[in-house]
Amino acid sequence: MAHRWWGNITFFGAHAVDDPDGPGHITPDPWMARITERGMRLMGIPVGLRVQEKGVTYPVPEPLSEVFDGIAVANSQFDRLDAYVRDYSDGSVSLEWRSGHRPVMSATFVQGSPYVYLSVFRGDLQVRTLEADGQRKGIFYQQGNTLGLWTDVAGNRNHFLLTGHGETEFSGVQGSEITAASRNSHFTLTWLPAGETDPSAAMIEDFITHARQPVDEVRVDYRVDPGDYRVTVSHQYRYRGEPVKTLAGLQPLQWKNSKQVLTDYRARSARGVIRFAETGGFDYQLSFVGVLPGLPSGLGSYEGGRLRALVHDFMTRDPQDWNRATDTYFAGKNYGKVAELALLAREEGLESEANRLIDWLKSELEDWFTADPAEQARYFVYDDRWNTVLGVHESFGTHQALNDHHFHYGYFVRAAAEICRVDPGWCAKDRWGPMVELLIRDYAAGRDDPQFPYLRHFDPALGFSWASGAANYLLGNNNESTSEAATAYGAMVLYGLVTEQPELVERGVYLHASTAAAFWEYWNDINGYRERPETYRNFPDAYDKLTTSIVWGAGHVFTTWFSEAHAHILGIQGLPLSPLVFHLGQHPGYLADYVALGLSESTNGKPSGLEEGHWRDIWWNIWAMTDAEASLGDMAETGFEYTPEEGETRAHTYQWVHAWTELGHLRSGAGQVTADYPAAVVFGSDTQTTYLAYNFGDTERIVSFSDGVRLKVAPGTFGIRKVPSRGG
């Protein structure tokens, strides 16, 4: 397993002190740690966060030193150790340091927890600080088997408790190297959310009370309600297989959507305010927006002849030019756009053109899904050391760091779902279905898969994806394009519906719903936008941006990996535009301001004024979800000689923008209208409410919506019902 907040250890184990090639930190928020050959350096993320020009991050001072701000944990007898992942669960990881093959000590981190659980098998535990007692370090508590110390370095003031699980002796307490000797050699290290002042006696007592109960497993499960496709996510804390009660930290996505009773303890950290609860587990609920394989014909007042001409313009190109990429990302984008175009063409009655596009997709994917020794590119290989599928050629570190598989392979699954929508036999078990499912299993396998780790890219403990496997970064792991992640998970829903696999549909619904909710929670801080009370705001007040683009384990930044242009920084969260990313339209008022910021560097404040390569069509598509008439006007004035973004076609943009002039705004999700079928979505304008569904089954289906509307849908077709608005 990699692609977690601790995935750096899978790849590198320990980073040597002062090793410039090993900056990697792990981020069990509110903790931040660098694992070294001597032990680990530990800090509290909340005390180090700073609002900067391009984001909110922890600019770790002297990051390669054994200790600077915070503390270091080491061993009295060993200083050249190897570190390994000993065990992990959905929300925890246990590390072990060894001398040769012999274990020396271990540590268990739990995402959100104020505790780190330590065991020492040889030697004694040592806690090291930058200086002895003075202005940068001191003792605020010493009683029984617990010692409390603070450090204040570079403006970062931390308060730690070290609690032995049995009789414990501390020596060198006033110095910079404290030794803790305990008969059973088990300890808990606690980070206290005390702020700039010493913690109260009540806080110390409350946190010590739960410190003596270890946690070694967090099980995160989900269930999908077939009545409305609402997702319930449950976290359960365990030790040696048995349920336990702990002082758990809930992230904003969790506590805002939960009925869990919370304490008054909290800390503003990487994602927002962590709230602590005395509990053995908690549940929270998320809405599912719904997905569709595309948009049906007849929405909006587009010119059918113009749309068909745009399809033909694409078809007249040499099919070799439809895709010349040999890497999984740009080839995948080409397959995704052709899948969209094929459905569009079929909806417009262009059967022969649609069939030609589907036949081309079959040929392309079958080429990738087969291999022989003479091939130099366009094949997949299973790597049984890392339990992963690698596509040749790689791009963006998909081999070297196992980066971005969900982004890349999601496009392939999206294309396969469209092929199988019109030719289900292509996805049969004795044809290409197992290869499509191999890609799904790589980036989002179910539990107990014999070849792949569970949900490789999606982090159940946090509710969103991580892009990097190696994560050798100062700020931990990261994720940029939430929309490409949503496309990968939405494609699972489509494919599961096509192939009649309910478990796969539910897994995709869970991943998609959580990705969409996290987008609004952590990338956009929708509660901050609505000026909710300070505790509900995830961005600090001093952060002056509406949104962010790359979420890190220890913060977030307003930039991309490839550009500083606003059109890219905001646009990367909105491509590819399809019914798999309808969640972008959940808050149209916010989206209007989002579009204004994304287009703020345009010469006229519209997509037409963007530089070449700054994704005019992506921005017409996004703008249409909040103000379709304005988007349509700018697109019509510009004409069709622009260069499409790599994953778009002119025909698709033309249809999409026109459709939204009739659809208005999204009404599904966010607690509005729900449906008892995942391929069903509701829209509303000033004049009408539009109900859309696609029936993937082979018998007639009646889709029931939560507002009482029922929609009859024939097999293999779209169903649509338009209800006039009051006064419309």
Side-chain angles (χ1 to χ4, degrees), residues 45-88:
I45 294 176
V47 304
L49 286 176
R50 301 288 188 274
V51 177
Q52 299 168 298
E53 180 182 359
K54 293 183 179 179
V56 181
T57 64
Y58 189 144
V60 182
E62 302 292 334
L64 306 180
S65 301
E66 180 184 13
V67 61
F68 195 73
D69 59 333
I71 59 175
V73 170
N75 188 279
S76 63
Q77 294 183 14
F78 300 89
D79 61 4
R80 293 186 180 180
L81 300 169
D82 298 313
Y84 302 88
V85 174
R86 186 178 70 182
D87 198 7
Y88 68 90

mmCIF file of all heavy atoms in Angstrom, residues 45-88:
data_model
loop_
_atom_site.group_PDB
_atom_site.id
_atom_site.type_symbol
_atom_site.label_atom_id
_atom_site.label_comp_id
_atom_site.label_asym_id
_atom_site.label_seq_id
_atom_site.Cartn_x
_atom_site.Cartn_y
_atom_site.Cartn_z
ATOM 1 N N ILE A 45 1.033 20.059 13.437
ATOM 2 C CA ILE A 45 0.724 20.885 12.263
ATOM 3 C C ILE A 45 0.059 22.208 12.653
ATOM 4 O O ILE A 45 0.414 23.263 12.106
ATOM 5 C CB ILE A 45 -0.155 20.098 11.269
ATOM 6 C CG1 ILE A 45 0.632 18.919 10.673
ATOM 7 C CG2 ILE A 45 -0.664 21.012 10.153
ATOM 8 C CD1 ILE A 45 -0.191 18.036 9.759
ATOM 9 N N PRO A 46 -0.912 22.216 13.585
ATOM 10 C CA PRO A 46 -1.610 23.483 13.861
ATOM 11 C C PRO A 46 -0.700 24.634 14.267
ATOM 12 O O PRO A 46 -0.986 25.794 13.926
ATOM 13 C CB PRO A 46 -2.572 23.103 14.994
ATOM 14 C CG PRO A 46 -2.842 21.651 14.779
ATOM 15 C CD PRO A 46 -1.527 21.097 14.322
ATOM 16 N N VAL A 47 0.388 24.360 14.983
ATOM 17 C CA VAL A 47 1.221 25.463 15.468
ATOM 18 C C VAL A 47 2.148 26.002 14.379
ATOM 19 O O VAL A 47 2.691 27.101 14.516
ATOM 20 C CB VAL A 47 2.057 25.037 16.689
ATOM 21 C CG1 VAL A 47 1.152 24.515 17.794
ATOM 22 C CG2 VAL A 47 3.105 23.989 16.325
ATOM 23 N N GLY A 48 2.342 25.214 13.303
ATOM 24 C CA GLY A 48 3.276 25.641 12.272
ATOM 25 C C GLY A 48 2.644 26.209 11.022
ATOM 26 O O GLY A 48 3.349 26.726 10.145
ATOM 27 N N LEU A 49 1.322 26.129 10.898
ATOM 28 C CA LEU A 49 0.658 26.628 9.685
ATOM 29 C C LEU A 49 0.834 28.135 9.548
ATOM 30 O O LEU A 49 0.683 28.876 10.517
ATOM 31 C CB LEU A 49 -0.826 26.290 9.708
ATOM 32 C CG LEU A 49 -1.213 24.834 9.443
ATOM 33 C CD1 LEU A 49 -2.718 24.666 9.593
ATOM 34 C CD2 LEU A 49 -0.774 24.378 8.053
ATOM 35 N N ARG A 50 1.145 28.563 8.338
ATOM 36 C CA ARG A 50 1.297 29.984 8.052
ATOM 37 C C ARG A 50 0.539 30.321 6.770
ATOM 38 O O ARG A 50 0.591 29.569 5.789
ATOM 39 C CB ARG A 50 2.773 30.346 7.855
ATOM 40 C CG ARG A 50 3.676 30.048 9.056
ATOM 41 C CD ARG A 50 3.433 31.023 10.209
ATOM 42 N NE ARG A 50 4.414 30.843 11.268
ATOM 43 C CZ ARG A 50 4.308 29.959 12.271
ATOM 44 N NH1 ARG A 50 3.242 29.176 12.353
ATOM 45 N NH2 ARG A 50 5.258 29.861 13.190
ATOM 46 N N VAL A 51 -0.128 31.460 6.784
ATOM 47 C CA VAL A 51 -0.751 31.967 5.567
ATOM 48 C C VAL A 51 0.331 32.639 4.738
ATOM 49 O O VAL A 51 1.019 33.544 5.216
ATOM 50 C CB VAL A 51 -1.885 32.954 5.882
ATOM 51 C CG1 VAL A 51 -2.458 33.531 4.601
ATOM 52 C CG2 VAL A 51 -2.971 32.261 6.703
ATOM 53 N N GLN A 52 0.497 32.168 3.514
ATOM 54 C CA GLN A 52 1.529 32.685 2.627
ATOM 55 C C GLN A 52 0.905 33.219 1.355
ATOM 56 O O GLN A 52 -0.309 33.127 1.148
ATOM 57 C CB GLN A 52 2.550 31.577 2.342
ATOM 58 C CG GLN A 52 3.241 31.071 3.609
ATOM 59 C CD GLN A 52 4.030 29.803 3.359
ATOM 60 O OE1 GLN A 52 3.487 28.771 2.997
ATOM 61 N NE2 GLN A 52 5.332 29.885 3.571
ATOM 62 N N GLU A 53 1.723 33.746 0.479
ATOM 63 C CA GLU A 53 1.205 34.382 -0.735
ATOM 64 C C GLU A 53 0.382 33.405 -1.571
ATOM 65 O O GLU A 53 -0.644 33.772 -2.137
ATOM 66 C CB GLU A 53 2.358 34.930 -1.573
ATOM 67 C CG GLU A 53 1.892 35.619 -2.853
ATOM 68 C CD GLU A 53 3.052 36.106 -3.701
ATOM 69 O OE1 GLU A 53 4.217 35.931 -3.285
ATOM 70 O OE2 GLU A 53 2.795 36.646 -4.791
ATOM 71 N N LYS A 54 0.828 32.162 -1.646
ATOM 72 C CA LYS A 54 0.158 31.201 -2.523
ATOM 73 C C LYS A 54 -0.467 30.035 -1.768
ATOM 74 O O LYS A 54 -0.682 28.971 -2.346
ATOM 75 C CB LYS A 54 1.148 30.671 -3.566
ATOM 76 C CG LYS A 54 1.611 31.731 -4.557
ATOM 77 C CD LYS A 54 2.514 31.133 -5.605
ATOM 78 C CE LYS A 54 2.946 32.194 -6.617
ATOM 79 N NZ LYS A 54 3.844 31.627 -7.641
ATOM 80 N N GLY A 55 -0.750 30.211 -0.504
ATOM 81 C CA GLY A 55 -1.396 29.116 0.188
ATOM 82 C C GLY A 55 -1.267 29.192 1.683
ATOM 83 O O GLY A 55 -0.849 30.204 2.255
ATOM 84 N N VAL A 56 -1.635 28.090 2.321
ATOM 85 C CA VAL A 56 -1.526 27.940 3.762
ATOM 86 C C VAL A 56 -0.760 26.640 3.998
ATOM 87 O O VAL A 56 -1.275 25.554 3.717
ATOM 88 C CB VAL A 56 -2.909 27.865 4.436
ATOM 89 C CG1 VAL A 56 -2.765 27.729 5.945
ATOM 90 C CG2 VAL A 56 -3.743 29.096 4.088
ATOM 91 N N THR A 57 0.468 26.736 4.475
ATOM 92 C CA THR A 57 1.295 25.548 4.653
ATOM 93 C C THR A 57 2.111 25.649 5.939
ATOM 94 O O THR A 57 2.160 26.697 6.576
ATOM 95 C CB THR A 57 2.274 25.359 3.469
ATOM 96 O OG1 THR A 57 3.192 26.457 3.433
ATOM 97 C CG2 THR A 57 1.527 25.270 2.150
ATOM 98 N N TYR A 58 2.775 24.546 6.255
ATOM 99 C CA TYR A 58 3.712 24.508 7.373
ATOM 100 C C TYR A 58 5.113 24.627 6.764
ATOM 101 O O TYR A 58 5.668 23.629 6.307
ATOM 102 C CB TYR A 58 3.569 23.186 8.123
ATOM 103 C CG TYR A 58 4.313 23.074 9.431
ATOM 104 C CD1 TYR A 58 3.759 22.375 10.491
ATOM 105 C CD2 TYR A 58 5.574 23.631 9.627
ATOM 106 C CE1 TYR A 58 4.428 22.240 11.703
ATOM 107 C CE2 TYR A 58 6.246 23.513 10.824
ATOM 108 C CZ TYR A 58 5.665 22.817 11.863
ATOM 109 O OH TYR A 58 6.334 22.685 13.054
ATOM 110 N N PRO A 59 5.702 25.813 6.753
ATOM 111 C CA PRO A 59 7.060 25.976 6.214
ATOM 112 C C PRO A 59 8.088 25.468 7.223
ATOM 113 O O PRO A 59 8.652 26.234 8.005
ATOM 114 C CB PRO A 59 7.165 27.481 5.992
ATOM 115 C CG PRO A 59 6.252 28.073 7.014
ATOM 116 C CD PRO A 59 5.127 27.082 7.213
ATOM 117 N N VAL A 60 8.317 24.175 7.232
ATOM 118 C CA VAL A 60 9.121 23.540 8.280
ATOM 119 C C VAL A 60 10.527 24.129 8.312
ATOM 120 O O VAL A 60 11.267 24.043 7.329
ATOM 121 C CB VAL A 60 9.208 22.023 8.054
ATOM 122 C CG1 VAL A 60 9.998 21.361 9.184
ATOM 123 C CG2 VAL A 60 7.808 21.424 7.963
ATOM 124 N N PRO A 61 10.937 24.716 9.427
ATOM 125 C CA PRO A 61 12.298 25.252 9.518
ATOM 126 C C PRO A 61 13.313 24.121 9.722
ATOM 127 O O PRO A 61 13.036 23.161 10.447
ATOM 128 C CB PRO A 61 12.237 26.169 10.746
ATOM 129 C CG PRO A 61 11.145 25.588 11.590
ATOM 130 C CD PRO A 61 10.143 24.989 10.640
ATOM 131 N N GLU A 62 14.454 24.241 9.088
ATOM 132 C CA GLU A 62 15.512 23.223 9.219
ATOM 133 C C GLU A 62 14.931 21.815 9.087
ATOM 134 O O GLU A 62 15.080 20.969 9.980
ATOM 135 C CB GLU A 62 16.214 23.363 10.576
ATOM 136 C CG GLU A 62 16.836 24.717 10.835
ATOM 137 C CD GLU A 62 18.035 24.972 9.911
ATOM 138 O OE1 GLU A 62 18.674 23.999 9.463
ATOM 139 O OE2 GLU A 62 18.318 26.157 9.634
ATOM 140 N N PRO A 63 14.293 21.494 7.973
ATOM 141 C CA PRO A 63 13.498 20.261 7.895
ATOM 142 C C PRO A 63 14.296 18.968 7.929
ATOM 143 O O PRO A 63 13.734 17.909 8.215
ATOM 144 C CB PRO A 63 12.779 20.400 6.550
ATOM 145 C CG PRO A 63 13.661 21.290 5.743
ATOM 146 C CD PRO A 63 14.225 22.279 6.724
ATOM 147 N N LEU A 64 15.603 19.022 7.632
ATOM 148 C CA LEU A 64 16.382 17.791 7.560
ATOM 149 C C LEU A 64 17.130 17.479 8.853
ATOM 150 O O LEU A 64 17.778 16.439 8.967
ATOM 151 C CB LEU A 64 17.364 17.859 6.389
ATOM 152 C CG LEU A 64 16.744 18.171 5.020
ATOM 153 C CD1 LEU A 64 17.818 18.217 3.954
ATOM 154 C CD2 LEU A 64 15.672 17.146 4.664
ATOM 155 N N SER A 65 17.059 18.388 9.833
ATOM 156 C CA SER A 65 17.739 18.167 11.112
ATOM 157 C C SER A 65 17.025 17.082 11.914
ATOM 158 O O SER A 65 15.834 16.822 11.717
ATOM 159 C CB SER A 65 17.775 19.459 11.923
ATOM 160 O OG SER A 65 18.446 20.481 11.220
ATOM 161 N N GLU A 66 17.753 16.472 12.848
ATOM 162 C CA GLU A 66 17.107 15.467 13.687
ATOM 163 C C GLU A 66 15.987 16.097 14.495
ATOM 164 O O GLU A 66 14.907 15.519 14.641
ATOM 165 C CB GLU A 66 18.104 14.813 14.646
ATOM 166 C CG GLU A 66 17.431 13.767 15.525
ATOM 167 C CD GLU A 66 18.346 13.156 16.564
ATOM 168 O OE1 GLU A 66 19.443 13.710 16.786
ATOM 169 O OE2 GLU A 66 17.960 12.132 17.164
ATOM 170 N N VAL A 67 16.202 17.292 15.009
ATOM 171 C CA VAL A 67 15.176 17.988 15.763
ATOM 172 C C VAL A 67 15.418 19.483 15.615
ATOM 173 O O VAL A 67 16.562 19.950 15.558
ATOM 174 C CB VAL A 67 15.186 17.570 17.252
ATOM 175 C CG1 VAL A 67 16.500 17.910 17.913
ATOM 176 C CG2 VAL A 67 14.019 18.211 18.002
ATOM 177 N N PHE A 68 14.351 20.232 15.522
ATOM 178 C CA PHE A 68 14.435 21.693 15.527
ATOM 179 C C PHE A 68 13.200 22.183 16.270
ATOM 180 O O PHE A 68 13.175 22.193 17.488
ATOM 181 C CB PHE A 68 14.534 22.248 14.105
ATOM 182 C CG PHE A 68 14.967 23.683 14.068
ATOM 183 C CD1 PHE A 68 16.282 24.020 14.342
ATOM 184 C CD2 PHE A 68 14.069 24.704 13.777
ATOM 185 C CE1 PHE A 68 16.697 25.347 14.325
ATOM 186 C CE2 PHE A 68 14.468 26.030 13.756
ATOM 187 C CZ PHE A 68 15.787 26.351 14.028
ATOM 188 N N ASP A 69 12.148 22.563 15.555
ATOM 189 C CA ASP A 69 10.898 22.803 16.280
ATOM 190 C C ASP A 69 10.301 21.436 16.619
ATOM 191 O O ASP A 69 10.517 20.446 15.941
ATOM 192 C CB ASP A 69 9.933 23.659 15.460
ATOM 193 C CG ASP A 69 9.566 23.042 14.118
ATOM 194 O OD1 ASP A 69 10.384 22.266 13.583
ATOM 195 O OD2 ASP A 69 8.474 23.338 13.603
ATOM 196 N N GLY A 70 9.562 21.371 17.703
ATOM 197 C CA GLY A 70 9.018 20.093 18.126
ATOM 198 C C GLY A 70 10.038 19.253 18.864
ATOM 199 O O GLY A 70 10.931 19.778 19.547
ATOM 200 N N ILE A 71 9.903 17.938 18.725
ATOM 201 C CA ILE A 71 10.769 17.004 19.441
ATOM 202 C C ILE A 71 11.234 15.915 18.487
ATOM 203 O O ILE A 71 10.716 15.778 17.376
ATOM 204 C CB ILE A 71 10.039 16.340 20.634
ATOM 205 C CG1 ILE A 71 8.799 15.582 20.138
ATOM 206 C CG2 ILE A 71 9.652 17.371 21.679
ATOM 207 C CD1 ILE A 71 8.078 14.804 21.217
ATOM 208 N N ALA A 72 12.205 15.125 18.930
ATOM 209 C CA ALA A 72 12.610 13.908 18.238
ATOM 210 C C ALA A 72 12.470 12.743 19.190
ATOM 211 O O ALA A 72 12.706 12.872 20.395
ATOM 212 C CB ALA A 72 14.047 14.016 17.732
ATOM 213 N N VAL A 73 12.074 11.598 18.661
ATOM 214 C CA VAL A 73 12.025 10.358 19.418
ATOM 215 C C VAL A 73 13.154 9.476 18.931
ATOM 216 O O VAL A 73 13.328 9.286 17.720
ATOM 217 C CB VAL A 73 10.663 9.653 19.248
ATOM 218 C CG1 VAL A 73 10.697 8.247 19.829
ATOM 219 C CG2 VAL A 73 9.553 10.469 19.898
ATOM 220 N N ALA A 74 13.948 8.956 19.854
ATOM 221 C CA ALA A 74 15.119 8.160 19.494
ATOM 222 C C ALA A 74 15.276 7.015 20.484
ATOM 223 O O ALA A 74 14.442 6.819 21.387
ATOM 224 C CB ALA A 74 16.367 9.042 19.470
ATOM 225 N N ASN A 75 16.368 6.258 20.316
ATOM 226 C CA ASN A 75 16.659 5.118 21.174
ATOM 227 C C ASN A 75 18.020 5.302 21.828
ATOM 228 O O ASN A 75 18.958 5.794 21.193
ATOM 229 C CB ASN A 75 16.632 3.828 20.357
ATOM 230 C CG ASN A 75 16.727 2.583 21.209
ATOM 231 O OD1 ASN A 75 17.816 2.179 21.627
ATOM 232 N ND2 ASN A 75 15.579 1.966 21.475
ATOM 233 N N SER A 76 18.122 4.900 23.076
ATOM 234 C CA SER A 76 19.353 5.140 23.835
ATOM 235 C C SER A 76 20.533 4.317 23.329
ATOM 236 O O SER A 76 21.687 4.670 23.581
ATOM 237 C CB SER A 76 19.118 4.837 25.319
ATOM 238 O OG SER A 76 18.805 3.456 25.500
ATOM 239 N N GLN A 77 20.286 3.214 22.608
ATOM 240 C CA GLN A 77 21.375 2.325 22.204
ATOM 241 C C GLN A 77 21.640 2.286 20.708
ATOM 242 O O GLN A 77 22.690 1.799 20.286
ATOM 243 C CB GLN A 77 21.082 0.896 22.681
ATOM 244 C CG GLN A 77 21.077 0.727 24.187
ATOM 245 C CD GLN A 77 20.851 -0.724 24.591
ATOM 246 O OE1 GLN A 77 20.943 -1.631 23.770
ATOM 247 N NE2 GLN A 77 20.562 -0.932 25.872
ATOM 248 N N PHE A 78 20.696 2.778 19.887
ATOM 249 C CA PHE A 78 20.825 2.603 18.443
ATOM 250 C C PHE A 78 20.615 3.936 17.728
ATOM 251 O O PHE A 78 19.698 4.691 18.054
ATOM 252 C CB PHE A 78 19.794 1.594 17.936
ATOM 253 C CG PHE A 78 19.918 0.230 18.542
ATOM 254 C CD1 PHE A 78 19.248 -0.084 19.727
ATOM 255 C CD2 PHE A 78 20.706 -0.737 17.944
ATOM 256 C CE1 PHE A 78 19.359 -1.341 20.295
ATOM 257 C CE2 PHE A 78 20.826 -2.002 18.504
ATOM 258 C CZ PHE A 78 20.153 -2.307 19.686
ATOM 259 N N ASP A 79 21.450 4.200 16.736
ATOM 260 C CA ASP A 79 21.268 5.419 15.945
ATOM 261 C C ASP A 79 21.408 5.158 14.449
ATOM 262 O O ASP A 79 21.439 6.097 13.657
ATOM 263 C CB ASP A 79 22.244 6.514 16.382
ATOM 264 C CG ASP A 79 23.697 6.097 16.208
ATOM 265 O OD1 ASP A 79 23.955 4.995 15.682
ATOM 266 O OD2 ASP A 79 24.572 6.890 16.608
ATOM 267 N N ARG A 80 21.476 3.902 14.053
ATOM 268 C CA ARG A 80 21.502 3.555 12.629
ATOM 269 C C ARG A 80 20.507 2.419 12.397
ATOM 270 O O ARG A 80 20.868 1.249 12.379
ATOM 271 C CB ARG A 80 22.910 3.155 12.185
ATOM 272 C CG ARG A 80 23.903 4.312 12.230
ATOM 273 C CD ARG A 80 25.253 3.929 11.658
ATOM 274 N NE ARG A 80 26.182 5.059 11.722
ATOM 275 C CZ ARG A 80 27.443 5.004 11.296
ATOM 276 N NH1 ARG A 80 27.934 3.870 10.774
ATOM 277 N NH2 ARG A 80 28.217 6.069 11.386
ATOM 278 N N LEU A 81 19.272 2.809 12.227
ATOM 279 C CA LEU A 81 18.173 1.855 12.131
ATOM 280 C C LEU A 81 17.510 1.922 10.757
ATOM 281 O O LEU A 81 17.570 2.939 10.064
ATOM 282 C CB LEU A 81 17.127 2.153 13.212
ATOM 283 C CG LEU A 81 17.610 2.076 14.666
ATOM 284 C CD1 LEU A 81 16.557 2.661 15.597
ATOM 285 C CD2 LEU A 81 17.917 0.628 15.042
ATOM 286 N N ASP A 82 16.877 0.838 10.383
ATOM 287 C CA ASP A 82 16.020 0.810 9.201
ATOM 288 C C ASP A 82 14.573 0.894 9.654
ATOM 289 O O ASP A 82 14.213 0.349 10.706
ATOM 290 C CB ASP A 82 16.234 -0.478 8.399
ATOM 291 C CG ASP A 82 17.650 -0.609 7.873
ATOM 292 O OD1 ASP A 82 18.157 0.388 7.320
ATOM 293 O OD2 ASP A 82 18.253 -1.695 8.018
ATOM 294 N N ALA A 83 13.738 1.555 8.855
ATOM 295 C CA ALA A 83 12.325 1.714 9.212
ATOM 296 C C ALA A 83 11.444 1.045 8.168
ATOM 297 O O ALA A 83 11.734 1.103 6.963
ATOM 298 C CB ALA A 83 11.964 3.195 9.340
ATOM 299 N N TYR A 84 10.374 0.424 8.634
ATOM 300 C CA TYR A 84 9.468 -0.307 7.765
ATOM 301 C C TYR A 84 8.023 -0.063 8.188
ATOM 302 O O TYR A 84 7.752 0.265 9.341
ATOM 303 C CB TYR A 84 9.739 -1.818 7.841
ATOM 304 C CG TYR A 84 11.143 -2.229 7.480
ATOM 305 C CD1 TYR A 84 12.148 -2.266 8.443
ATOM 306 C CD2 TYR A 84 11.467 -2.570 6.169
ATOM 307 C CE1 TYR A 84 13.443 -2.644 8.120
ATOM 308 C CE2 TYR A 84 12.757 -2.956 5.829
ATOM 309 C CZ TYR A 84 13.741 -2.988 6.800
ATOM 310 O OH TYR A 84 15.019 -3.353 6.474
ATOM 311 N N VAL A 85 7.105 -0.273 7.243
ATOM 312 C CA VAL A 85 5.692 -0.351 7.586
ATOM 313 C C VAL A 85 5.430 -1.764 8.095
ATOM 314 O O VAL A 85 5.589 -2.740 7.352
ATOM 315 C CB VAL A 85 4.795 -0.045 6.371
ATOM 316 C CG1 VAL A 85 3.325 -0.269 6.731
ATOM 317 C CG2 VAL A 85 5.001 1.381 5.903
ATOM 318 N N ARG A 86 5.051 -1.875 9.359
ATOM 319 C CA ARG A 86 4.785 -3.190 9.942
ATOM 320 C C ARG A 86 3.350 -3.627 9.688
ATOM 321 O O ARG A 86 3.064 -4.791 9.429
ATOM 322 C CB ARG A 86 5.066 -3.157 11.444
ATOM 323 C CG ARG A 86 4.952 -4.530 12.119
ATOM 324 C CD ARG A 86 5.288 -4.447 13.601
ATOM 325 N NE ARG A 86 4.258 -3.727 14.353
ATOM 326 C CZ ARG A 86 4.345 -3.482 15.658
ATOM 327 N NH1 ARG A 86 5.425 -3.850 16.330
ATOM 328 N NH2 ARG A 86 3.377 -2.830 16.287
ATOM 329 N N ASP A 87 2.427 -2.660 9.761
ATOM 330 C CA ASP A 87 1.009 -2.972 9.583
ATOM 331 C C ASP A 87 0.277 -1.669 9.297
ATOM 332 O O ASP A 87 0.786 -0.578 9.585
ATOM 333 C CB ASP A 87 0.444 -3.640 10.838
ATOM 334 C CG ASP A 87 -0.873 -4.370 10.561
ATOM 335 O OD1 ASP A 87 -1.265 -4.464 9.380
ATOM 336 O OD2 ASP A 87 -1.506 -4.841 11.526
ATOM 337 N N TYR A 88 -0.917 -1.776 8.731
ATOM 338 C CA TYR A 88 -1.712 -0.574 8.484
ATOM 339 C C TYR A 88 -3.176 -0.953 8.421
ATOM 340 O O TYR A 88 -3.539 -2.119 8.235
ATOM 341 C CB TYR A 88 -1.285 0.128 7.190
ATOM 342 C CG TYR A 88 -1.589 -0.639 5.915
ATOM 343 C CD1 TYR A 88 -2.800 -0.461 5.251
ATOM 344 C CD2 TYR A 88 -0.671 -1.527 5.370
ATOM 345 C CE1 TYR A 88 -3.089 -1.154 4.085
ATOM 346 C CE2 TYR A 88 -0.945 -2.224 4.212
ATOM 347 C CZ TYR A 88 -2.157 -2.042 3.568
ATOM 348 O OH TYR A 88 -2.448 -2.737 2.420
#
